[in-house]
């Protein structure tokens, strides 16, 4: 007969493998792809936890970028602690504000942004004071000798603003109950032109305001335009971006920073590039500002301690040299703690709000932007999906260690790629969704793979136990062929051992010794107790009469024969760790004829020196020998066997094991009858 090697396809079917891996891992791969789609869709839509992680990643990347100090494009005239100390507490008289604006305007700045709202009349004006006295005290104060221009401080400030390139601040509210004007400020909206990809491209949804706080009309009519002061803190309360446009009543209004650039470029036109994803950019003149899809501009912070040039308002009013302001963009704001114009940024716990407007203006002047493109979400979904599929392939094809190494490397590569894009292109494409899918898919599939491996190991263990049982039965059957009169002795003794070990395991004294593993192993090892009889000559093993002394000595060697055979099986297995099954089988084969008082064989062990398995097997073996019929004797009754075993308590047998036998006596009798030899 010619034997041929089976074909590869047959081998694959027989071994349960596909492309070199178990067939089950094909299911792992497809399940991983399905999970990758779900996770990529979930994380690309920015749930709260992903948003928080995005903030941390962005802040970390921003800190590692090369930072340059702010340029000299913008100078801040600061109402600081020094100014409040020398000129008095806030709010200042509009007369002081007039002096400040006049002092700044003398140096011809390119634009003058006022980072404050002047939405109420100055109550320190002489006209307001006279009205209050007349109303509250019925006192009339004559002011005929006072020049008209000094009667109203708001009038003075309006004239100063009219002679300067000033932009005043406004504030939008988004809650209907908040105090504000439902009508817009005069001439404050921008002429917005939407540049769309096609006629079907929808117009963007700008933040819709419900109310607007404006400067008093007297001041609003004196300036070129106004700009809103609203900021846009993220969920953690830190400012990372500012809105450029806000809508209200079908009109669109610019931020203070954007309005200042419009003043510098001498235009009211704003071109908004719109795609299907949302806003892509805002353009004023030749300055194109990339934004996110909601029209927000990311701020490129210079870092802690790097601030714009500041001039104290008290120095400006006091006549200090302000030549630094010439042709610069000047912002009037406050850093005084008491005025609470405080914002939190990724770099510093608190900066003045005017610093944020200065930063946005400086970025527009230098055209150095950071932005999250409108295609960011789609790109993140694609990258996350690809990484998720690659993880699924890795878990299905590689070892878990190599797959973990590959995942870590891929995650680091995603981070480095995102950092490189931010540093070189100014594009922030967050790696968080991709890394989240990478980690999530790896963990889920690893758990699935472990579960599958556990099931496979359990099936293998069951198959091994069955094979082990077959091997034991084969060995014991071989022993029975040498000593056919033993009949069903092996089955009965195995069941007796099982009764005894379970009973003893319930007692506190044996609970630590008879662990669940021992309780399971001992009955399985019991059939091998007489395996050594295969080494006893037939003339002795099958002798019908009483054995002579020499023959009995030969018979007693079956304990050593069995022990040696099982020990050699252990040694030939080439397994370094001791196998519990073979160790216990060796104990039972060697010691099941030892006696509690030390008169047994082969080693004359006594009491606790005899392994618990040997002590239990000894009682089970003797009980079966007493109750079974042999060619040289009749079987004793269960009652007589109980008497004999009780007499051997403390001499032949362990007293505790005899007590366990007595407790299980009815079950012993039932087994003896049910499995009696025929």
């Amino acid at each position: 007969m010619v034997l041929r090697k089976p074909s590869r396809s047959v081998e694959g079917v027989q071994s349960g493998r596909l492309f070199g891996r178990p067939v089950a891992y094909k299911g792992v791969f497809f399940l991983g792809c399905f999970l990758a789609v779900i996770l990529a869709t979930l994380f690309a839509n920015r749930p709260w936890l992903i948003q928080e992680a995005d903030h941390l990643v962005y802040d970390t990347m921003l800190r590692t970028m090369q930072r340059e100090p702010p340029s000299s494009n913008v100078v801040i005239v600061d109402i600081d602690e020094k100014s409040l100390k020398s000129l008095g507490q806030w709010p200042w008289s509009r007369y002081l504000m007039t002096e400040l604006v006049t002092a700044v305007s003398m140096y011809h700045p390119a634009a003058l942004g006022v980072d404050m709202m002047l939405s109420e009349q100055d109550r320190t004006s002489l006209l307001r004071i006279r009205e209050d006295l007349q109303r509250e005290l019925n006192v009339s104060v004559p002011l005929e000798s006072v020049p008209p221009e000094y009667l109203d401080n708001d009038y003075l400030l309006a004239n100063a603003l009219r002679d300067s390139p000033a932009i005043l601040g406004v504030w939008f509210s988004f809650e209907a109950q908040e105090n504000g004007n439902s009508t817009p400020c005069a001439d404050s909206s921008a002429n917005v032109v939407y540049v769309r990809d096609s006629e079907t491209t929808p117009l963007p949804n700008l933040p819709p305001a419900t109310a607007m706080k404006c400067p008093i009309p007297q001041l609003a009519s004196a300036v070129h335009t106004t700009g809103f002061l609203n900021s846009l803190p993220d969920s953690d309360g830190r400012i990372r971006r500012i809105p450029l446009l806000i809508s209200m009543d079908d009109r669109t209004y610019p931020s203070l920073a954007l309005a200042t650039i419009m003043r510098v470029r001498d235009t009211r036109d704003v071109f908004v590039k719109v795609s299907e994803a949302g806003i892509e950019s805002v353009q004023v003149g030749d300055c194109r500002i990339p934004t996110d899809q909601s029209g927000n501009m990311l701020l490129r912070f210079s870092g802690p301690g790097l601030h714009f040039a500041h001039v104290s308002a008290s120095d400006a009013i006091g006549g200090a040299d302000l030549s630094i302001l010439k042709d610069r963009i000047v912002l009037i704001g406050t850093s005084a703690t008491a005025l609470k114009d405080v914002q939190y940024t990724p770099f510093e716990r608190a900066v003045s709000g005017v610093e944020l407007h200065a930063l946005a203006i400086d970025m527009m002047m230098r055209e150095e932007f950071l932005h999250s493109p409108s295609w960011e979400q789609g790109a993140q979904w694609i990258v996350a999906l690809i990484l998720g599929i690659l993880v699924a392939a890795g878990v299905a094809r590689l070892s878990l260690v190599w797959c973990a190494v590959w995942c870590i490397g891929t995650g680091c590569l995603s981070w480095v790629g995102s950092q490189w894009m931010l540093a070189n292109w100014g594009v922030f494409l967050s790696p968080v969704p991709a890394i989240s899918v990478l980690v999530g898919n790896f963990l889920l599939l690893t758990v699935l793979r472990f579960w599958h491996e556990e099931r496979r190991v359990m099936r293998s263990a069951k198959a091994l136990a069955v094979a082990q049982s077959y091997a034991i039965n084969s060995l014991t059957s071989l022993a029975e062929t040498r000593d056919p009169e033993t009949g069903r002795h092996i089955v009965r003794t195995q069941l007796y051992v099982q009764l005894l070990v379970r009973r003893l395991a319930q007692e506190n004294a044996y609970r630590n010794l008879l662990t669940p593993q021992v309780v399971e192993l001992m009955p399985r090892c019991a059939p091998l107790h007489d395996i050594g009889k295969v080494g006893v000559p037939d003339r002795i093993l099958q002798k019908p009469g009483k054995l002579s002394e020499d023959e009995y000595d030969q018979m007693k060697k079956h304990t050593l024969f069995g022990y040696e055979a099982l020990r050699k099986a252990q040694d030939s297995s080439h397994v370094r760790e001791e196998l519990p099954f073979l160790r216990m089988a060796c104990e039972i084969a060697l010691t099941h004829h030892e006696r509690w008082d030390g008169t047994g064989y082969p080693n004359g062990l006594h009491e606790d020196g005899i392994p618990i398995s040997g002590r239990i097997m000894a009682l089970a073996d003797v009980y079966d020998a007493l109750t079974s019929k042999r060619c040289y004797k009749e079987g004793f009754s269960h009652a007589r066997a109980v008497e004999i075993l009780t007499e051997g308590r403390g001499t032949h047998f362990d007293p505790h094991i005899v007590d366990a036998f007595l407790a299980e006596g009815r079950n012993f009798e039932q087994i003896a009858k049910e499995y009696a030899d025929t």
Side-chain angles (χ1 to χ4, degrees):
M1 180 182 295
V2 178
L3 298 178
R4 294 186 299 174
K5 183 179 180 180
S7 65
R8 181 167 298 183
S9 60
V10 174
E11 281 185 315
V13 173
Q14 291 175 345
S15 63
R17 292 176 176 270
L18 183 67
F19 304 116
R21 297 297 299 176
V23 174
Y25 289 127
K26 181 180 179 182
V28 171
F29 171 72
F30 287 118
L31 178 60
C33 294
F34 176 71
L35 289 175
V37 173
I38 294 177
L39 293 176
T41 303
L42 173 65
F43 293 148
N45 283 316
R46 294 283 204 295
W48 172 80
L49 190 60
I50 297 299
Q51 290 182 18
E52 296 302 311
D54 268 349
H55 298 157
L56 293 176
V57 169
Y58 177 74
D59 295 348
T60 302
M61 290 184 175
L62 209 59
R63 291 187 182 99
T64 58
M65 289 178 60
Q66 182 178 1
R67 299 189 297 272
E68 298 179 359
S71 70
S72 58
N73 291 326
V74 184
V75 179
I76 296 174
V77 175
D78 191 3
I79 302 174
D80 52 10
E81 303 288 354
K82 174 184 175 182
S83 301
L84 295 182
K85 184 176 181 180
S86 62
L87 299 176
Q89 66 181 13
W90 189 264
W92 282 352
S93 162
R94 298 283 162 80
Y95 181 79
L96 274 180
M97 289 298 299
T98 301
E99 290 190 14
L100 179 60
V101 171
T102 302
V104 171
S105 301
M106 287 175 55
Y107 291 88
H108 305 290
L112 175 60
V114 181
D115 180 24
M116 57 188 66
M117 290 181 296
L118 305 175
S119 55
E120 296 179 352
Q121 292 181 330
D122 184 8
R123 299 185 64 82
T124 65
S125 297
L126 292 177
L127 287 178
R128 304 285 91 74
I129 293 174
R130 185 176 66 177
E131 291 173 357
D132 291 342
L133 291 174
Q134 183 68 40
R135 182 178 63 255
E136 302 294 339
L137 303 176
N138 198 24
V139 175
S140 179
V141 178
L143 299 176
E144 288 77 6
S145 60
V146 180
E149 63 269 19
Y150 294 109
L151 293 177
D152 187 356
N153 293 341
D154 291 323
Y155 172 80
L156 294 176
L157 180 57
N159 286 338
L161 291 173
R162 190 173 290 108
D163 295 334
S164 69
I167 305 99
L168 290 182
V170 300
W171 184 266
F172 286 102
S173 62
F174 298 88
E175 300 293 337
Q177 68 271 19
E178 289 190 11
N179 184 27
N181 300 323
S182 59
T183 57
C185 306
D187 297 328
S188 60
S189 63
N191 180 25
V192 175
V193 178
Y194 291 103
V195 181
R196 297 186 287 178
D197 292 338
S198 65
E199 292 295 330
T200 59
T201 302
L203 293 177
N205 294 319
L206 295 171
T210 56
M212 185 178 187
K213 281 188 177 181
C214 302
I216 60 175
Q218 191 175 9
L219 301 179
S221 61
V223 297
H224 178 76
T225 187
T226 59
F228 61 80
L229 307 178
N230 299 69
S231 58
L232 185 67
D234 287 319
S235 56
D236 61 353
R238 297 188 180 274
I239 302 292
R240 296 177 179 87
R241 67 196 76 218
I242 61 169
L244 294 181
L245 298 169
I246 289 178
S247 67
M248 191 182 96
D249 296 336
D250 297 327
R251 294 188 180 185
T252 305
Y253 301 88
S255 67
L256 179 65
L258 186 63
T260 302
I261 295 298
M262 293 167 60
R263 179 69 179 86
V264 172
R265 302 297 170 96
D266 193 23
T267 181
R268 296 182 66 90
D269 296 330
V270 177
F271 296 90
V272 180
K273 180 70 170 64
V274 182
S275 67
E276 293 290 340
I279 298 176
E280 292 190 353
S281 65
V282 173
Q283 184 167 342
V284 176
D286 58 354
C287 177
R288 180 180 175 276
I289 308 162
T291 67
D292 63 16
Q293 53 192 308
S294 298
N296 303 311
M297 184 178 76
L298 276 174
L299 297 176
R300 186 170 191 156
F301 296 97
S302 298
L306 300 177
H307 299 285
F308 290 89
H310 281 240
V311 173
S312 176
S314 60
D315 292 340
I317 294 175
D321 181 16
L322 302 181
S323 57
I324 189 178
L325 306 182
K326 184 174 176 57
D327 298 327
R328 301 288 189 267
I329 295 175
V330 178
L331 295 179
I332 297 178
T334 177
S335 65
T337 305
L339 301 186
K340 298 181 180 180
D341 185 15
V342 174
Q343 304 289 349
Y344 296 91
T345 72
F347 283 93
E348 297 177 285
R349 292 189 56 83
V351 298
S352 60
V354 69
E355 286 273 352
L356 299 181
H357 298 299
L359 176 59
I361 293 170
D362 185 50
M363 289 175 62
M364 296 178 195
M365 293 295 292
R366 293 200 286 186
E367 298 190 9
E368 294 181 356
F369 301 106
L370 302 177
H371 72 290
S372 298
S374 58
W375 44 264
E376 176 193 21
Q377 187 173 3
Q380 287 177 340
W381 185 86
I382 293 173
V383 173
L385 179 62
I386 292 174
L387 292 186
I389 292 174
L390 291 177
V391 167
V395 173
R397 297 289 301 173
L398 303 175
S399 69
L400 291 179
V401 173
W402 280 110
C403 189
V405 171
W406 182 89
C407 287
I408 292 173
T410 305
C412 293
L413 186 62
S414 299
W415 181 288
V416 171
S418 181
Q419 177 79 66
W420 183 85
M421 291 180 65
L422 185 64
N424 292 276
W425 294 353
V427 174
F428 177 61
L429 187 63
S430 173
V432 172
I435 294 177
S436 299
V437 172
L438 192 75
V439 174
N441 218 17
F442 174 74
L443 293 178
L444 291 174
L445 293 179
T446 298
V447 170
L448 176 65
R449 180 165 163 177
F450 270 121
W451 174 75
H452 171 75
E453 289 287 347
E454 184 181 28
R455 291 188 62 193
R456 187 182 65 81
V457 170
M458 291 176 63
R459 289 195 298 267
S460 299
K462 289 180 180 179
L464 181 61
V466 172
Q468 190 180 73
S469 178
Y470 282 138
I472 293 172
N473 291 337
S474 299
L475 290 172
T476 54
S477 297
L478 177 62
E480 287 181 353
T481 61
R482 301 292 317 288
D483 188 12
E485 288 191 353
T486 57
R488 306 175 81 176
H489 165 72
I490 291 173
V491 176
R492 291 192 298 271
T493 54
Q494 185 178 34
L495 294 174
Y496 297 151
V497 169
Q498 188 177 67
L499 289 174
L500 291 173
V501 73
R502 288 181 177 177
R503 166 67 65 170
L504 290 168
Q506 297 174 9
E507 300 181 11
N508 292 332
Y510 289 93
R511 190 162 294 166
N512 294 332
L513 184 61
L514 298 177
T515 62
Q517 183 185 24
V518 173
V519 172
E520 181 184 356
L521 277 179
M522 196 179 296
R524 290 166 54 191
C525 297
L528 296 174
H529 69 283
D530 277 339
I531 191 64
K533 286 185 177 181
V534 297
V536 179
D538 288 344
R539 63 182 177 80
I540 299 174
L541 189 63
Q542 300 180 6
K543 184 178 180 179
K546 185 178 180 180
L547 299 178
S548 66
E549 186 175 346
D550 290 339
E551 289 173 339
Y552 186 58
D553 288 340
Q554 288 292 320
M555 176 64 78
K556 289 193 292 185
K557 290 182 179 180
H558 79 278
T559 57
L560 296 173
F561 294 156
Y563 170 75
E564 289 296 329
L566 293 170
R567 185 184 61 80
K568 288 179 180 179
Q570 165 79 26
D571 294 341
S572 63
S573 67
H574 302 294
V575 178
R576 294 182 180 180
E577 297 84 3
E578 187 179 42
L579 299 177
F581 175 81
L582 288 177
R583 178 185 59 78
M584 186 171 291
C586 287
E587 287 180 357
I588 292 175
L590 182 64
T591 64
H592 72 283
H593 283 291
E594 299 286 357
R595 296 169 63 100
W596 185 253
D597 59 6
T599 60
Y601 64 86
N603 295 318
L605 303 177
H606 69 283
E607 297 187 4
D608 290 339
I610 307 170
I612 185 66
S613 58
R615 285 179 266 160
I616 292 174
M617 190 71 235
L619 188 142
D621 192 32
V622 171
Y623 175 83
D624 192 70
L626 291 173
T627 57
S628 299
K629 180 181 178 181
R630 293 291 181 265
C631 62
Y632 53 86
K633 77 172 186 69
E634 292 294 329
F636 294 146
S637 66
H638 172 73
R640 178 57 184 151
V642 170
E643 291 177 5
I644 295 173
L645 292 176
T646 304
E647 291 173 0
R649 186 179 187 275
T651 55
H652 191 160
F653 308 109
D654 182 343
H656 292 287
I657 295 177
V658 174
D659 294 340
F661 160 71
L662 295 175
E664 295 287 344
R666 181 174 297 179
N667 292 326
F668 268 69
E669 184 179 11
Q670 180 65 31
I671 291 171
K673 291 179 179 179
E674 185 175 349
Y675 294 95
D677 293 329
T678 58

